[in-house]
């Protein structure tokens, strides 16, 4: 009943296109992890949409598009996306937001930048969208959930959090957050988003009972997973298969097909090791041919050959049942292409992926 599309490498594999295709016979499109660090570009009838938060399946009006509890939501960005969709003739009444999803607030964004600065040479190269600090608050249990956002508790919770964050920001000499200003602005956002907020887990279980097809849309990718990626050069959530269960409330027994999306070459944004990276004119050529510039941050992506060792790891971890291979036409423009089939580690052939940084580097 439940199919999953997820990234098998470092993200930007072209999941949006595959999701759009597969959602044609789905009744639900569900995002389960990440936030607006993601970027899905989809072209429909000549119009290009760049989504960061809303599920790509939203463009199909027969699909209920859900932001699951595992997603972290910047309300400002979400409202911009809703408005953009409305301006383009979409009603957006097929959007549902989990009451358990956590908020990204201005102090998370400020802290994301601050943490990058104080990490010095251990900088991660985050998207600076507040993702890590929002998940930190969730797990530290001071996060604000959607159900709090639309309740009378919001003011009190926001005040406590801003007071606490201001202490940290002051220590490092960063700008203080203004509670009154933020509360006023975000109270308005909560009114706009209120109609979309509900118990999406129960909704999904009703759908499963009714035999309706659900498509879970991964954001980021396997090698950026907080547990299984190249830690610490990862995102702060689980874009791998386990994230589907914890980020939606759907049990693993309902999961059927798991599609791993890859490109016929590879790319990565941000810092961290990348074995098949090409720091030469072939890498530059791939970047230009594949338009490898970030949807979210516009950063040029690092490019290289397809790494089959990493792909095997992704297949193993996620129980991938099918591969969607994008950009074959792009790589086909080169005279010669290479594939990584094993690593050469201290003169020894290694066919297994390890996230150990010493090994990787
Ligand atoms: P964060 O998720 O903004 O904290 O960034 C952590 C790392 O994940 C950085 O290297 C980002 O470039 C990378 N990252 C986050 N989201 C995406 C994505 O959607 N595609 C590719 N890389 C991403």
């Amino acid at each position: 009943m439940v199919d999953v599309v997820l990234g098998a490498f470092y993200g930007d594999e072209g999941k949006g296109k595959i999701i759009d295709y597969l959602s044609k016979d789905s009744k639900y499109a569900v995002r389960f992890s990440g936030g607006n660090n993601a970027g899905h570009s989809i072209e429909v009838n000549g119009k290009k949409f760049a989504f960061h938060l809303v599920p790509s399946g939203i463009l199909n009006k027969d699909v209920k598009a859900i932001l699951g509890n595992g997603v972290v939501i910047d309300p400002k960005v979400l409202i911009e996306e809703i408005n953009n969709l409305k301006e383009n003739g979409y009603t957006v009444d097929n959007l549902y937001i989990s009451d358990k999803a956590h908020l990204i607030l201005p102090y998370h964004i400020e802290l994301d930048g601050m943490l990058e600065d104080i990490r010095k040479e251990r900088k991660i190269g985050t998207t600076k969208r507040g993702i890590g600090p929002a998940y930190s608050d969730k797990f530290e249990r001071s996060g604000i959930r959607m159900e709090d956002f639309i309740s009378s508790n919001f003011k009190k919770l926001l005040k406590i959090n801003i007071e606490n964050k201001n202490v940290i920001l002051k220590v490092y000499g960063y700008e203080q957050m203004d509670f009154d200003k933020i509360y006023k602005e975000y109270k308005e956002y909560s009114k706009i988003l209120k109609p979309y907020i509900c118990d999406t887990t129960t909704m999904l279980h009703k759908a499963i009972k009714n035999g309706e097809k659900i498509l879970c849309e991964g954001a980021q990718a396997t090698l950026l997973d907080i547990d299984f990626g190249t830690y610490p050069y990862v995102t702060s959530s689980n874009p791998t298969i386990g994230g589907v269960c914890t980020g939606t409330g759907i049990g693993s027994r309902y999961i059927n097909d798991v599609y791993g999306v890859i490109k016929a070459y590879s790319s990565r944004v941000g810092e961290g090791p990348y074995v098949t990276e090409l720091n030469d004119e072939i890498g530059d050529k791939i970047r230009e041919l594949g338009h490898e510039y970030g949807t979210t941050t516009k950063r040029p992506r690092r490019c290289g050959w397809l790494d089959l060792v990493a792909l095997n790891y992704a297949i193993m971890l996620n129980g991938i049942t099918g591969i969607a291979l994008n950009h074959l036409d792009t790589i086909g423009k080169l005279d010669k292409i290479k594939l990584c089939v094993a690593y050469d580690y201290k003169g020894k052939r290694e066919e297994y992926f390890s996230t150990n940084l010493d090994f990787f580097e």
Side-chain angles (χ1 to χ4, degrees):
M1 232 74 80
V2 183
D3 287 342
V4 180
V5 174
L6 38 81
F9 204 64
Y10 288 111
D12 309 310
E13 299 93 348
K15 293 179 286 294
K17 182 169 116 181
I18 306 302
I19 291 161
D20 187 50
Y21 173 75
L22 289 172
S23 71
K24 286 188 175 55
D25 64 339
S26 297
K27 289 274 175 262
Y28 291 80
V30 191
R31 265 199 67 179
F32 56 90
S33 72
N36 58 311
N37 46 349
H40 289 168
S41 342
I42 304 174
E43 211 172 302
V44 184
N45 302 330
K47 170 88 194 150
K48 209 168 177 178
F49 290 92
F51 296 134
H52 300 285
L53 257 175
V54 293
S56 310
I58 198 154
L59 294 177
N60 183 343
K61 64 175 172 35
D62 299 326
V63 167
K64 291 189 170 71
I66 293 182
L67 289 172
N69 57 282
V71 178
V72 283
I73 297 173
D74 183 329
K76 198 172 175 172
V77 174
L78 182 56
I79 291 167
E80 272 166 22
E81 291 189 0
I82 291 173
N83 289 343
N84 180 28
L85 281 162
K86 284 184 176 168
E87 280 158 24
N88 283 286
Y90 292 88
T91 57
V92 200
D93 47 17
N94 55 339
L95 176 68
Y96 301 83
I97 305 168
S98 168
D99 49 4
K100 296 172 194 61
H102 279 248
L103 273 181
I104 298 181
L105 287 153
Y107 50 80
H108 293 127
I109 299 167
E110 190 69 10
L111 287 168
D112 202 353
M114 184 198 89
L115 289 167
E116 279 288 80
D117 291 344
I118 63 177
R119 275 182 198 118
K120 299 197 172 78
E121 69 272 15
R122 228 196 172 199
K123 189 161 108 33
I124 294 163
T126 75
T127 58
K128 299 202 177 163
R129 300 299 191 265
I131 306 297
Y135 278 115
S136 297
D137 276 5
K138 171 176 175 174
F139 287 96
E140 186 257 312
R141 291 152 298 173
S142 60
I144 302 181
R145 311 212 286 188
M146 284 296 153
E147 61 190 4
D148 304 316
F149 189 35
I150 54 170
S151 85
S152 53
N153 287 333
F154 178 55
K155 190 171 186 179
K156 185 178 70 194
L157 296 174
L158 183 71
K159 196 159 186 9
I160 298 170
N161 278 4
I162 290 186
E163 278 167 10
N164 290 339
K165 303 302 178 194
N166 273 344
V167 175
I168 304 167
L169 290 166
K170 193 171 175 190
V171 169
Y172 289 99
Y174 282 76
E175 201 192 323
Q176 293 285 284
M177 297 279 124
D178 180 340
F179 167 74
D180 291 323
K181 187 168 159 266
I182 297 174
Y183 178 67
K184 202 168 154 223
E185 182 182 345
Y186 281 72
K187 189 70 206 159
E188 289 310 305
Y189 296 155
S190 79
K191 287 181 200 156
I192 298 170
L193 293 180
K194 191 172 179 175
Y196 301 101
I197 298 168
C198 62
D199 173 2
T200 53
T201 303
T202 303
M203 199 175 155
L204 287 168
H205 280 279
K206 281 186 184 153
I208 290 172
K209 247 189 187 155
N210 292 337
E212 291 173 313
K213 202 164 163 201
I214 296 169
L215 184 68
C216 292
E217 306 186 0
Q220 290 80 48
T222 302
L223 303 184
L224 291 175
D225 187 276
I226 187 82
D227 287 289
F228 301 107
T230 54
Y231 190 91
Y233 303 103
V234 292
T235 191
S236 297
S237 64
N238 288 113
T240 49
I241 194 72
V244 174
C245 299
T246 54
T248 62
I250 296 174
S252 60
R253 64 184 285 239
Y254 300 110
I255 297 174
N256 183 34
D257 272 322
V258 182
Y259 298 99
V261 187
I262 51 165
K263 293 187 277 214
Y265 54 90
S266 61
S267 71
R268 171 167 207 176
V269 256
E271 308 297 319
Y274 174 7
V275 179
T276 56
E277 181 171 14
L278 291 164
N279 282 310
D280 57 14
E281 67 280 4
I282 303 177
D284 294 341
K285 194 162 180 191
I286 294 176
R287 184 176 309 106
E288 293 316 311
L289 288 171
H291 312 291
E292 294 295 346
Y293 294 88
T295 318
T296 303
T297 58
K298 313 280 178 261
R299 287 180 287 181
R301 295 178 184 142
R302 300 156 68 189
C303 293
W305 301 121
L306 174 58
D307 182 341
L308 297 179
V309 180
L311 177 59
N312 264 338
Y313 177 66
I315 293 171
M316 176 191 87
L317 265 182
N318 297 300
I320 287 174
T321 59
I323 287 173
L325 177 62
N326 277 328
H327 279 288
L328 256 179
D329 51 344
T330 304
I331 205 78
K333 291 183 181 121
L334 300 181
D335 293 334
K336 222 181 203 178
I337 64 168
K338 290 192 181 185
L339 294 172
C340 168
V341 294
Y343 299 153
D344 179 356
Y345 182 62
K346 295 185 176 167
K348 216 174 123 232
R349 186 185 165 97
E350 236 355 301
E351 292 183 7
Y352 293 97
F353 190 87
S354 161
T355 58
N356 179 288
L357 276 193
D358 286 340
F359 169 86
F360 232 131
E361 271 157 9

